[in-house]
Amino acid sequence: MTKIAPMHPKVRKTLNGEIFARVRSDILAGHLSPGTRLRPAELAQEHSVSMSVVREALARLAEQELVDWVPLTGFRVAPLSLEDLTDLTDARLGIEVLTLRHAVQRGDVTWEGRVLAAHHTLERTQQFDPDDPDRFTEEWAEAHADFHNSLLEGCNSKRLIDIAAGLRDGAELYRRWSHALAHDSERDIPSEHRALLKAVLERDEAAAAQALESHIRHTTDVLLTHLQPEKV
């Protein structure tokens, strides 16, 4: 699905960048629901900017696949697709878990150090925005991606790493929406990461694969439960 580019601090220094960042944040936090129509005139009035500034921001969001352009209708927030979510989850379980198994088998001491360092950073990075508890901080999202990428690096297969990373990137919006929309506040994500780290460092291939599969499935199951009553 969507590949969300990191938000660089310098982006906010221009008016265009500020509006882009605000709308992007509202989408990631679920304040603008999946499929919501985005009317440039209303957004321009809400943020006290010109229509051209809003259109540029929406075009940039469309490049990240956070926003869709629908002919005769205009812009809308990317919709939640059960079919895409299920297909993406199946692909991740096949590729990402396999890649982790190879990493546990082949990774060296340098790889272990890299995983430990990435986890150390993740553990000490604030997870949620104190001003908006529905939204993961950008720093945490970056540290989270770095930890998962480091886990797979030990497999020593660039093709597998690249495919797995692409699938994880595609799941990023679903991952954020699983918290923002389904309000999965009871989930203990740090504990899931510690279980992954423990299994990997102990070279327990089966436990590592199980921990990763459970970690991936949780996001999907939460969103499926959230969407079921709406029959999306």
Side-chain angles (χ1 to χ4, degrees), residues 159-180:
R159 289 185 184 276
L160 279 177
I161 291 172
D162 287 348
I163 294 170
L167 292 170
R168 286 201 73 261
D169 285 343
E172 181 65 19
L173 185 55
Y174 288 133
R175 185 159 41 251
R176 299 203 192 199
W177 275 349
S178 73
H179 175 78

Side-chain angles (χ1 to χ4, degrees), residues 90-161:
D90 289 343
R92 290 187 67 197
L93 291 175
I95 298 296
E96 199 167 335
V97 173
L98 172 66
T99 306
L100 181 63
R101 283 184 175 275
H102 286 331
V104 172
Q105 295 169 4
R106 305 169 182 173
D108 57 16
V109 174
T110 300
W111 167 70
E112 289 183 3
R114 169 89 174 90
V115 171
L116 274 168
H119 183 263
H120 180 82
T121 299
L122 180 61
E123 281 268 289
R124 284 153 181 77
T125 302
Q126 185 166 353
Q127 188 172 0
F128 298 109
D129 187 333
D131 297 323
D132 188 356
D134 283 333
R135 187 171 71 86
F136 293 115
T137 66
E138 290 300 319
E139 295 78 11
W140 186 87
E142 185 175 343
H144 182 247
D146 188 52
F147 172 64
H148 276 276
N149 289 336
S150 72
L151 286 171
L152 306 183
E153 287 174 357
C155 82
N156 296 322
S157 168
K158 186 178 184 304
R159 289 185 184 276
L160 279 177
I161 291 172

Side-chain angles (χ1 to χ4, degrees), residues 33-75:
S33 302
T36 298
R37 185 176 177 184
L38 299 170
R39 295 175 171 84
E42 293 180 2
L43 289 171
Q45 183 176 7
E46 178 185 349
H47 297 289
S48 301
V49 296
S50 68
M51 291 273 286
S52 62
V53 170
V54 171
R55 287 198 181 97
E56 181 178 331
L58 293 177
R60 291 174 63 189
L61 290 165
E63 289 175 1
Q64 292 193 6
E65 299 180 22
L66 293 174
V67 165
D68 287 345
W69 165 257
V70 183
L72 304 179
T73 301
F75 291 102

